[in-house]
Amino acid sequence: MTIAQAAGATDSSAGLKDELKSAQWFAQSATRSAFAEILIARAARSARSLNVRSLFPLGVPLGAVVAFGLVLVSAVWFSPRTVLPLP
């Protein structure tokens, strides 16, 4: 994923109406205007206030949980059993 794609995805998730994507484009531009500087500063403020975990929650797929459970059950089931002598 490129920086522009990440900015676009964040804009969409946060409802920023291409604010970050535009600021990224102006930041990569060879010439800078006063407008571009203001836009970049505003986007930086917006980016600092974002909660990335709520915008892009990381989840564990159900298949991974089931597979882990099967591995755990198999490890316990087939583990060597040690019988301790009674005192």
Side-chain angles (χ1 to χ4, degrees), residues 24-87:
Q24 188 272 333
W25 186 87
F26 279 111
Q28 299 298 318
S29 160
T31 59
R32 293 255 181 103
S33 65
F35 172 76
E37 295 297 330
I38 292 169
L39 184 75
I40 292 168
R42 180 178 174 197
R45 280 192 305 274
S46 294
R48 279 192 295 272
S49 69
L50 295 176
N51 183 350
V52 177
R53 289 183 188 213
S54 67
L55 292 174
F56 302 104
L58 295 177
V60 179
L62 180 60
V65 174
V66 170
F68 178 75
L70 289 173
V71 167
L72 186 61
V73 167
S74 297
V76 170
W77 186 266
F78 294 109
S79 66
R81 288 169 178 73
T82 305
V83 179
L84 297 175
L86 295 173

